Amino acid sequence: MRSVVSTILTAALAISCLTACDRQGAPSYSHFEEIPSSGWDPLDVLTFYPTPADSTEPLHSRYDLTMVLRYAARHKIAALPIAVTVEDNNGILHADTLILRLSRAEGSPKAVTHYGVTELRLPLYQDERITDGYALTLESFSPKSHSEGVMNVGIIMERR
C-alpha cells in the first residue's frame, strides 16, 4: 500500500514539473522587422518563415497568425494598403490585399497607444496549417512617405 501511494505521489510530482515548464500562453513564433523612420518602402518586401519555437511541437499543427503593426502615435496615418501572400513548397496558398485603417474619422488611433507607440493587431489566418516551405510575405502598396512613422511589422503565430 505504501509503495502505491509513493508511486502515485512521485508520478504527480513528475507531471507537475513537466507541465510547469510548458510554454502555455507563449506564442509558437514571433518575429518583427524594423522599418526605417522615413517609412516602409514598397520595394522592401518583408518575408516571414513561421516555424514553431518548440522543436517538439508537430510542424503540421494548426495555428492562428496575427500581424502586428507598431507606429509612432504622433504620425497620423489614416490607412495603409498591404499585400499579403502565403506560399509553401506547392505554390501560393493565399493572396490578399488589406487596407489597414489606422485612425478613426476624427484622427485618433484605432488601436491601443502606450508611451507614444500605437500597436495594431490584425488576425490574418485562423486554424492555419503550417506546411513545408511555408512563407508569408508583406508588401506595402503605399508610397514610402505615407507610411512614415511605422516602426515595426511582425507576425505572431499561436497554436490552436
Side-chain angles (χ1 to χ4, degrees), residues 32 66-72 77-80 82 98-104 109-114 117-124 150 152-156:
F32 287 82
T66 302
M67 184 181 85
V68 180
L69 182 86
R70 295 180 183 141
Y71 63 97
I77 305 170
L80 190 63
I82 294 178
L98 307 174
I99 308 291
L100 303 181
R101 306 267 179 225
L102 305 179
S103 300
R104 293 184 175 87
K110 289 180 87 172
V112 178
T113 301
H114 295 290
V117 177
T118 302
E119 180 176 284
L120 176 72
R121 289 176 174 249
L122 178 71
L124 290 178
V150 172
N152 311 97
V153 178
I155 297 294
I156 295 174

Side-chain angles (χ1 to χ4, degrees), residues 58-75:
L59 180 62
H60 296 283
S61 296
R62 298 287 186 158
Y63 297 92
D64 293 338
L65 292 155
T66 302
M67 184 181 85
V68 180
L69 182 86
R70 295 180 183 141
Y71 63 97
R74 69 180 179 276
H75 291 277

